[in-house]
Amino acid sequence: MAGHPEVPRIHKRPGLASLASLVHVRGRNRDAIELYRWVLEMRPDYPEILINLGHCLIMVGKVEKSREAYLAALRLDENLEGAITGLVYLDEREGDFDAAWERLAPCLAARGVGSVSGAVAGAFATMAGRLDKVDEAIETAERSLSSMRRDGGGGAAEMNLRFAVGRLYERTGEFNQAFAYFQDGNALTKEIFDAGKFETEINSLIEFFNNPEPEIVADNLDETPVFIVGMPRSGTSLVEQILACHQKVHGAGEVPYLFEAIDTMSINNPMNVPFSQFLGLAGQETLNGAARQYLECLRHSMPETLQMTENLRITDKLPGNILHVGMIQRLFPKGRVIHIRRDAMDTCLSCYVQNFGERLPFTTNFEHLAAYYAGYDRISRHWAGIMGAQMLELSYETLVADTEGESRRLLEFISVPWDPAVMDFHSSGRVVTTASYDQVRQPIYHGSIGRWRNYGEHLQPLAAALMRQNIDVEQ
């Protein structure tokens, strides 16, 4: 979850608990949940594990289960900041700001604004705009950062807090200060993006997936899955939120099911040949098995109240699936792909100022951002050329300018009737756990278009890097 407290380090029972934490940090939330639950079977009074379990559960959309885990941790120790701030983030994302502040205020009062932990300072920074306490939150966070630096700093807590302070300065219009905090936060990322390897991957995909009518496809004709793809921060959450307000659409969020289904195909690759070559050898049964696994996971994600809905559509909005559109074409001949395209400068800035931690290391460096965007641009244009009517391209800027017209086009594309409820998407009680959770709770606004201009000269290196990659940049 963007802006979520860091995963607590596990000092006790180092074996399985440490493995679970490592899997969690790597973003494999479903696997981590299973491991955390195994640990709790042996040791139910393990508060750090309960807190980490709560973090994972919210990432897979299990909001109430997440709340139960945090509350169970607090029953063991009512002062556990990880559980308190976890509940604060849940309350805030559900729009219950009074409840969030009631949980947070005692933590601030107990320690005093000059000595709060990074977790509490981060939660306060997230809440500050709701509470008209931005200046106070900045002071609290900066004091906490000073304390972290004296203690060595450099961890996930400092990274999270630097991005939070950057957002506060952006809110007050102090863009020079905001950029400095975003820059320092990105500098703390240890993962390195290999631009050359990514370019090779894009070249391989384009070379192999070049047939509008592949010879072998899965034999299922299921129209349930709708894949929403694009760059991170391009508007995928907004599109899913609009669609999910339709009575015949369930928004599954960012789920890893396609990656997992593809991984099962690789298991049957005893010669360990490159995947694109292996796919050429895969028979229909192999494709059928991967498609079945994906659909089972996707349907398992939806509420029981929708189980009997006819002609249901389920959206999968993992932006990274842009790399797997060729696989989608083969696994789901009747599936649909919605590609969201957004201005390159706005998209890259939005990635840069969002704390994606170790998950998306290309977002922390302008040269790497430009290289990734160029690869994304090439592969998305390639897919558009071979997917035909199975893929719809949508402009984020056009969606903002003509929300109803583009929403009608979206619903027509996935073959469901018009429902005016989609125009009230911002009033939905649906909890969104991605970085765009706040934007989708507001009516359509134009403030995110041309946002990059606020940062002026700071973004000239980004513009230059994009132009070197032959990406058009508006001056």
Side-chain angles (χ1 to χ4, degrees), residues 90-107:
L90 276 182
D91 291 337
E92 198 266 344
R93 277 157 177 73
E94 291 179 328
D96 194 346
F97 308 128
D98 291 338
W101 180 241
E102 285 178 13
R103 296 184 197 278
L104 187 61
C107 294

mmCIF file of all heavy atoms in Angstrom, residues 90-107:
data_model
loop_
_atom_site.group_PDB
_atom_site.id
_atom_site.type_symbol
_atom_site.label_atom_id
_atom_site.label_comp_id
_atom_site.label_asym_id
_atom_site.label_seq_id
_atom_site.Cartn_x
_atom_site.Cartn_y
_atom_site.Cartn_z
ATOM 1 N N LEU A 90 -6.338 2.395 7.492
ATOM 2 C CA LEU A 90 -7.609 1.796 7.060
ATOM 3 C C LEU A 90 -8.750 2.795 7.206
ATOM 4 O O LEU A 90 -9.563 2.967 6.290
ATOM 5 C CB LEU A 90 -7.908 0.544 7.886
ATOM 6 C CG LEU A 90 -7.266 -0.769 7.458
ATOM 7 C CD1 LEU A 90 -7.722 -1.886 8.383
ATOM 8 C CD2 LEU A 90 -7.611 -1.108 6.024
ATOM 9 N N ASP A 91 -8.838 3.437 8.369
ATOM 10 C CA ASP A 91 -9.912 4.410 8.595
ATOM 11 C C ASP A 91 -9.836 5.539 7.570
ATOM 12 O O ASP A 91 -10.864 5.980 7.033
ATOM 13 C CB ASP A 91 -9.804 4.995 10.010
ATOM 14 C CG ASP A 91 -10.136 3.983 11.096
ATOM 15 O OD1 ASP A 91 -10.847 3.007 10.783
ATOM 16 O OD2 ASP A 91 -9.679 4.175 12.236
ATOM 17 N N GLU A 92 -8.624 6.011 7.301
ATOM 18 C CA GLU A 92 -8.454 7.128 6.365
ATOM 19 C C GLU A 92 -8.877 6.725 4.958
ATOM 20 O O GLU A 92 -9.537 7.486 4.255
ATOM 21 C CB GLU A 92 -6.988 7.573 6.387
ATOM 22 C CG GLU A 92 -6.755 8.951 5.810
ATOM 23 C CD GLU A 92 -6.372 8.902 4.349
ATOM 24 O OE1 GLU A 92 -6.006 7.818 3.871
ATOM 25 O OE2 GLU A 92 -6.445 9.948 3.677
ATOM 26 N N ARG A 93 -8.511 5.519 4.535
ATOM 27 C CA ARG A 93 -8.872 5.070 3.190
ATOM 28 C C ARG A 93 -10.373 4.806 3.057
ATOM 29 O O ARG A 93 -10.925 4.878 1.966
ATOM 30 C CB ARG A 93 -8.069 3.821 2.821
ATOM 31 C CG ARG A 93 -6.685 4.189 2.303
ATOM 32 C CD ARG A 93 -5.688 3.059 2.451
ATOM 33 N NE ARG A 93 -4.403 3.440 1.873
ATOM 34 C CZ ARG A 93 -3.550 4.294 2.408
ATOM 35 N NH1 ARG A 93 -3.851 4.880 3.556
ATOM 36 N NH2 ARG A 93 -2.405 4.588 1.819
ATOM 37 N N GLU A 94 -11.030 4.527 4.172
ATOM 38 C CA GLU A 94 -12.473 4.334 4.153
ATOM 39 C C GLU A 94 -13.216 5.656 4.339
ATOM 40 O O GLU A 94 -14.446 5.680 4.331
ATOM 41 C CB GLU A 94 -12.873 3.339 5.243
ATOM 42 C CG GLU A 94 -12.394 1.916 4.944
ATOM 43 C CD GLU A 94 -12.786 0.940 6.039
ATOM 44 O OE1 GLU A 94 -12.853 1.356 7.221
ATOM 45 O OE2 GLU A 94 -13.025 -0.234 5.722
ATOM 46 N N GLY A 95 -12.487 6.746 4.519
ATOM 47 C CA GLY A 95 -13.112 8.058 4.649
ATOM 48 C C GLY A 95 -13.579 8.399 6.050
ATOM 49 O O GLY A 95 -14.245 9.412 6.251
ATOM 50 N N ASP A 96 -13.201 7.583 7.048
ATOM 51 C CA ASP A 96 -13.612 7.849 8.426
ATOM 52 C C ASP A 96 -12.484 8.608 9.126
ATOM 53 O O ASP A 96 -11.723 8.058 9.924
ATOM 54 C CB ASP A 96 -13.909 6.528 9.151
ATOM 55 C CG ASP A 96 -14.654 6.746 10.460
ATOM 56 O OD1 ASP A 96 -14.704 7.908 10.936
ATOM 57 O OD2 ASP A 96 -15.191 5.760 11.006
ATOM 58 N N PHE A 97 -12.380 9.899 8.838
ATOM 59 C CA PHE A 97 -11.255 10.688 9.309
ATOM 60 C C PHE A 97 -11.312 10.939 10.814
ATOM 61 O O PHE A 97 -10.272 11.026 11.475
ATOM 62 C CB PHE A 97 -11.193 12.014 8.548
ATOM 63 C CG PHE A 97 -11.222 11.830 7.056
ATOM 64 C CD1 PHE A 97 -12.142 12.517 6.274
ATOM 65 C CD2 PHE A 97 -10.361 10.942 6.435
ATOM 66 C CE1 PHE A 97 -12.188 12.337 4.903
ATOM 67 C CE2 PHE A 97 -10.396 10.751 5.062
ATOM 68 C CZ PHE A 97 -11.319 11.454 4.294
ATOM 69 N N ASP A 98 -12.518 11.053 11.354
ATOM 70 C CA ASP A 98 -12.641 11.252 12.801
ATOM 71 C C ASP A 98 -12.091 10.049 13.561
ATOM 72 O O ASP A 98 -11.364 10.199 14.546
ATOM 73 C CB ASP A 98 -14.103 11.495 13.181
ATOM 74 C CG ASP A 98 -14.621 12.835 12.680
ATOM 75 O OD1 ASP A 98 -13.795 13.726 12.422
ATOM 76 O OD2 ASP A 98 -15.849 12.980 12.549
ATOM 77 N N ALA A 99 -12.447 8.846 13.118
ATOM 78 C CA ALA A 99 -11.957 7.636 13.782
ATOM 79 C C ALA A 99 -10.437 7.543 13.670
ATOM 80 O O ALA A 99 -9.746 7.167 14.624
ATOM 81 C CB ALA A 99 -12.609 6.394 13.173
ATOM 82 N N ALA A 100 -9.907 7.896 12.491
ATOM 83 C CA ALA A 100 -8.460 7.843 12.289
ATOM 84 C C ALA A 100 -7.747 8.785 13.259
ATOM 85 O O ALA A 100 -6.734 8.425 13.868
ATOM 86 C CB ALA A 100 -8.125 8.204 10.845
ATOM 87 N N TRP A 101 -8.274 10.005 13.412
ATOM 88 C CA TRP A 101 -7.634 10.964 14.294
ATOM 89 C C TRP A 101 -7.749 10.547 15.753
ATOM 90 O O TRP A 101 -6.805 10.738 16.547
ATOM 91 C CB TRP A 101 -8.233 12.344 14.083
ATOM 92 C CG TRP A 101 -7.620 13.397 14.968
ATOM 93 C CD1 TRP A 101 -8.251 14.142 15.903
ATOM 94 C CD2 TRP A 101 -6.262 13.810 14.983
ATOM 95 N NE1 TRP A 101 -7.370 15.006 16.506
ATOM 96 C CE2 TRP A 101 -6.134 14.820 15.961
ATOM 97 C CE3 TRP A 101 -5.130 13.419 14.265
ATOM 98 C CZ2 TRP A 101 -4.925 15.439 16.246
ATOM 99 C CZ3 TRP A 101 -3.914 14.042 14.544
ATOM 100 C CH2 TRP A 101 -3.824 15.039 15.517
ATOM 101 N N GLU A 102 -8.850 9.952 16.127
ATOM 102 C CA GLU A 102 -9.011 9.483 17.508
ATOM 103 C C GLU A 102 -7.969 8.426 17.861
ATOM 104 O O GLU A 102 -7.515 8.340 19.001
ATOM 105 C CB GLU A 102 -10.420 8.913 17.705
ATOM 106 C CG GLU A 102 -11.500 9.977 17.812
ATOM 107 C CD GLU A 102 -12.888 9.378 17.967
ATOM 108 O OE1 GLU A 102 -12.973 8.154 18.234
ATOM 109 O OE2 GLU A 102 -13.883 10.114 17.825
ATOM 110 N N ARG A 103 -7.587 7.622 16.885
ATOM 111 C CA ARG A 103 -6.553 6.607 17.142
ATOM 112 C C ARG A 103 -5.165 7.246 17.196
ATOM 113 O O ARG A 103 -4.303 6.831 17.976
ATOM 114 C CB ARG A 103 -6.558 5.543 16.048
ATOM 115 C CG ARG A 103 -7.800 4.707 15.943
ATOM 116 C CD ARG A 103 -7.623 3.623 14.887
ATOM 117 N NE ARG A 103 -8.879 3.045 14.468
ATOM 118 C CZ ARG A 103 -9.527 2.086 15.124
ATOM 119 N NH1 ARG A 103 -9.015 1.617 16.249
ATOM 120 N NH2 ARG A 103 -10.674 1.599 14.677
ATOM 121 N N LEU A 104 -4.946 8.240 16.341
ATOM 122 C CA LEU A 104 -3.602 8.783 16.174
ATOM 123 C C LEU A 104 -3.237 9.807 17.236
ATOM 124 O O LEU A 104 -2.091 9.845 17.707
ATOM 125 C CB LEU A 104 -3.491 9.423 14.792
ATOM 126 C CG LEU A 104 -2.110 9.900 14.360
ATOM 127 C CD1 LEU A 104 -1.140 8.738 14.305
ATOM 128 C CD2 LEU A 104 -2.199 10.585 12.997
ATOM 129 N N ALA A 105 -4.193 10.645 17.624
ATOM 130 C CA ALA A 105 -3.894 11.753 18.536
ATOM 131 C C ALA A 105 -3.222 11.307 19.836
ATOM 132 O O ALA A 105 -2.258 11.955 20.283
ATOM 133 C CB ALA A 105 -5.171 12.537 18.832
ATOM 134 N N PRO A 106 -3.667 10.211 20.482
ATOM 135 C CA PRO A 106 -2.989 9.800 21.725
ATOM 136 C C PRO A 106 -1.513 9.444 21.517
ATOM 137 O O PRO A 106 -0.695 9.680 22.418
ATOM 138 C CB PRO A 106 -3.797 8.569 22.166
ATOM 139 C CG PRO A 106 -5.140 8.761 21.545
ATOM 140 C CD PRO A 106 -4.876 9.401 20.224
ATOM 141 N N CYS A 107 -1.160 8.907 20.354
ATOM 142 C CA CYS A 107 0.250 8.583 20.078
ATOM 143 C C CYS A 107 1.080 9.857 20.005
ATOM 144 O O CYS A 107 2.208 9.917 20.511
ATOM 145 C CB CYS A 107 0.376 7.818 18.764
ATOM 146 S SG CYS A 107 -0.373 6.191 18.753
#
